[in-house]
Amino acid sequence: PSRRRTSDPYVVGLGSATYGSLVRRLLGGSLAGPTLLVGAGQLAETILPFLDTGEVLVWNRSRERAEAMMSRQREAQTAGRVTLLPATPEAEAQAWQRARDVILCIPADAARDAERVRWWRSQPRQGRVLHLGIDSAAGTVWQQLPDLATLKDLFGLRDTQAVQREQLLARARKACADKAQLARLDDT
């Protein structure tokens, strides 16, 4: 009788990366200092739970939409750590001044982006800006930020992790096959 072998399609998908885990990795894992999350759509909602190592400031142009996003979060994860900011340009500007890292989960906005870049560049920083609303900074005001990460960087990290995972699985399969071969030789 043929034995059912665990084949690749069942194993390959294990441990796949989420947007939140990739964002955290791009920003350095442990988020020191306030992190500003701009946006309250589905992408921001999936990232927020992964920003669990420090203070998070959430700003969105629609307070109602931001409140709705916050209501779907686990209170134990957000209480005392996540601050929903007023939906005013002044509140956003102040948050950019305080933040160590900024994650934009909104589309590019030529009218506002120059202002955001200016806010970021107004003082020395150790953190990063991650703009998930653009594929690349080329040809945009964002190219003024040398450490900017975009969707392209996020997907590059995902692809690198996938290759590493495949290599580990290949080594594990070979080790299992070698062990099975040794067991068969031992039986004879």
Side-chain angles (χ1 to χ4, degrees):
S2 69
R3 287 186 185 191
R4 181 160 185 235
R5 168 179 162 252
T6 20
S7 61
D8 295 341
Y10 299 104
V11 178
V12 170
L14 292 177
S16 63
T18 64
Y19 279 111
S21 64
L22 291 170
V23 163
R24 217 169 133 163
R25 202 139 188 228
L26 271 176
L27 294 178
S30 153
L31 305 171
T35 300
L36 172 59
L37 180 63
V38 178
Q42 192 174 13
L43 183 57
E45 190 167 339
T46 61
I47 290 171
L48 183 56
F50 288 87
L51 305 177
D52 60 354
T53 61
E55 181 184 4
V56 179
L57 309 170
V58 175
W59 184 87
N60 192 59
R61 64 188 168 131
S62 164
R63 175 76 182 202
E64 295 76 27
R65 186 168 176 147
E67 287 172 347
M69 177 186 76
M70 292 299 294
S71 73
R72 291 186 293 272
Q73 299 294 316
R74 295 169 112 180
E75 191 173 333
Q77 287 182 321
T78 60
R81 225 181 31 75
V82 178
T83 304
L84 183 56
L85 302 172
T88 65
E90 297 80 23
E92 182 189 9
Q94 289 172 359
W96 276 85
Q97 298 304 311
R98 278 191 62 209
R100 181 181 191 278
D101 296 297
V102 177
I103 304 161
L104 293 123
C105 297
I106 57 174
D109 178 351
R112 301 285 316 277
D113 287 349
E115 199 170 26
R116 290 175 173 134
V117 168
R118 188 173 42 79
W119 291 334
W120 183 255
R121 296 182 73 196
S122 68
Q123 54 193 352
R125 306 281 183 156
Q126 290 185 351
R128 291 190 77 182
V129 175
L130 173 56
H131 198 319
L132 299 176
I134 59 175
D135 183 53
S136 165
T140 72
V141 69
W142 293 103
Q143 68 188 10
Q144 295 177 36
L145 303 184
D147 236 9
L148 177 80
T150 65
L151 273 175
K152 187 177 189 176
D153 299 303
L154 192 77
F155 292 144
L157 178 59
R158 178 203 59 194
D159 295 345
T160 299
Q161 286 182 328
V163 167
Q164 291 170 343
R165 187 171 42 248
E166 282 301 315
Q167 291 170 343
L168 288 173
L169 287 170
R171 277 189 250 153
R173 285 186 204 102
K174 183 176 179 343
C176 288
D178 290 349
K179 189 171 183 175
Q181 179 68 24
L182 288 173
R184 282 192 296 274
L185 291 173
D186 195 36
D187 287 346
T188 60

